[in-house]
Amino acid sequence: MTTPSIGPLSLRDRHIATLKQMLNLNTVPSTLLKPTGVDLAWKVLIYDELGQDIISPLLTVKELRDLGVTLHISLKSDRDPVDEIAAVYFIMPTKDNISRIGKDLVEGLYESYYLNFIAPIPRDLLEDLATAALESNSQQNIAKIYDQYLDFITLEDELFCLRQAGRDSISYYALNRPQMLDVEMEQIIGTIVDSLFSVCVTLGSVPIIRCPKGEAAEIVGEKLDKKLRENLRDPRNSLFTSDSMATGALSFQRPLLVILDRSTDLASLLHHTWTYQALAHDVLDFKLNRVEIEEVDEAVTTSDGRRPSKRHTYDLIPTDKFWKQQKGNPFPIVAESIQEELERYRQSEDEVKRLKTAMGIKGDAEDLAISLLNDTTSQLTSAVNTLPELLEKKRLLDLHTNIATALLDHIKKRKLDVFFETEEKLITKQVQEKSLMEVLSDPAAGSPEDKLRLFLIHYLCTPTMTQTELDQYLTILRGSNCTHLDAITYIKRWKSISKMSVVSQAREGGTTTMGMFSNLVNKASKFAMEGVKNLVVKQYKLPVTKIVDNLMECRSSPETDDYRYFDPKLLRSADSNRSTENTMNVARNRQGFNDAIVFMIGGGNYIEYQNLQDYAKTRSTIATKHVVYGCTELVNASQFLEHLAKLGQ
């Protein structure tokens, strides 16, 4: 019997539960919660590139061990035979992968094969697999074949993407390149539709779909509606049975799925940011919940007096309370919080030391546990009990101190606070302290890329700019050694043909500069914040959040009134044979939504994700609102600039 969960399960919980069930050789979910160790089948896990990307943010190596996985290895690597053990494959159904399984069967690598396909395997590939099994006379070794419908990467409870940036051809560039063939476009749309279908299956919910007219989002919306409709019409094979719906990840009310195109708001992908998680994604190597930092090794000095640097990897785990609380906060608040946590940790450590001294024990904090063997005082016992907790706290504090220090180095070196403040004022039409020309001409401010990003935001938010003005800016940018200037050519072309009004790229909001970081400057702080502005960000809705707000509240608005409306549960599409006015009546006559999935085609980022989470929190006063954010890939500004520059060539 499963333990009743408190509140609905998140997308992440359900994704993990399905993976655990798969690793339990697809046995009933009752054994999922805690492997007992009894009858635990040992197995080898074999994955392809996407399979690895899906598993790594959700299950640690220790958790894989607990589920009986003795070895996890890539499908493409050379593998030795392993006797008397089951092999669990978690791969995409591609021609290359099927032929590799055929090779494994010929070589007889494993005793039994459990083949789990991330997305459903097409008939022709299933026939190829059957042929390979018969030719190698190993059909009896294939224990089970499953379609798992897990074709997406879940990073947090309310965040998913379809592919890791740079891994696949569903990027902004792939979707917008001019020499695209119809077949290629259909392939990309098909991938997105299949992945969104997988998200719906995992959540156990059939959403109501809204999307704008005339772009990729509309095609995806239509095809997803058709796919869900066909699945619901086939009761024997429907993936939305009453069981899966009853344990739906969202509340009993059906969710809203809003599918949007990146052209809704290009500026947010180029914007400098000021919150912890988004800043880490912008300036550090941060992907799949793992951040890599180049750190100088203080202990080693080379013959020429230089100190070599080493790359350190840190996992940002969901159980890390500090990360959970602070990831959406402005950087100055995070730096102060780290300082306060360090103070608290030192007090706890001093308390342990004081106890040791009082009881005449010498040695390190870790040695304290040994003294328990010959000392039974309750005070000491409680000190020892808090020790593992203390050591874990210290590890996480060190991790955040290192990340924050790396971020601070970038902020100071590139004057990111100046760029952030200037962009906020540009977007919100506030008065600037310095003119844009002055900031772009300042050799000490930012990298060439920072300057190009700032100019592009100005260009996007300015309804008209003469060629003479544009040439002046181009001269300054060339003088600052800016590469990727082809991005300007693309934005110029995009503005001339885009139906999106440039005004929609502007928004309300802004920043105010507080006094200096009082807590940090006054104390002997690890963070030397002198010269960095203590900017407090005014809460405001990004264009995406405004659209979601209108649709969740079923509110009439010129931006969203002509959005398509699909309800896969209706016998006939609500949208197919009706006028726009009738469609709007259907949409408006509904009550508001408490749950929404927002999906961005062409790449998303942590700025939008955080803005939607802030919106959900502020709107949860009457009824709890959940907003899940998804995108084709999570891209930072550098990667997005590359896409724009390639499109401008």
Side-chain angles (χ1 to χ4, degrees), residues 53-104:
D53 286 349
I54 291 169
I55 291 170
S56 69
L58 297 175
L59 295 171
T60 62
V61 174
K62 184 190 178 300
E63 285 168 324
L64 289 175
R65 289 265 185 280
D66 291 344
L67 289 158
V69 175
T70 55
L71 179 68
H72 50 96
I73 195 165
S74 166
L75 176 73
K76 287 178 182 170
S77 60
D78 294 325
R79 287 167 279 124
D80 297 320
V82 185
D83 294 332
E84 297 179 12
I85 202 162
V88 177
Y89 284 72
F90 186 54
I91 53 173
M92 278 299 275
T94 63
K95 223 166 179 50
D96 286 353
N97 285 353
I98 296 297
S99 61
R100 186 63 207 237
I101 292 171
K103 187 169 174 273
D104 291 356

Side-chain angles (χ1 to χ4, degrees), residues 273-285:
T273 179
W274 201 233
T275 56
Y276 191 27
Q277 186 178 36
L279 205 49
H281 185 237
D282 187 12
V283 302
L284 304 175
D285 183 4

Side-chain angles (χ1 to χ4, degrees), residues 173-224:
Y173 170 73
L175 281 155
N176 292 280
R177 62 204 162 99
Q179 64 278 30
M180 162 104 63
L181 299 171
D182 286 353
V183 182
E184 292 172 314
M185 189 63 181
E186 276 172 31
Q187 211 174 344
I188 292 173
I189 296 288
T191 301
I192 295 170
V193 170
D194 291 347
S195 296
L196 283 176
F197 183 77
S198 294
V199 172
C200 295
V201 171
T202 305
L203 286 171
S205 311
V206 180
I208 282 163
I209 304 165
R210 301 299 305 274
C211 53
K213 287 182 176 178
E215 300 210 26
E218 182 178 20
I219 308 166
V220 170
E222 273 178 355
K223 288 187 181 292
L224 181 61

Side-chain angles (χ1 to χ4, degrees), residues 7 89 119 165 173 328 337 452 484 538 601 628-629 631:
Y89 284 72
Y173 170 73
S337 301
L452 179 58
H484 297 321
K538 187 180 160 193
I601 297 171
V628 174
Y629 177 71
C631 51

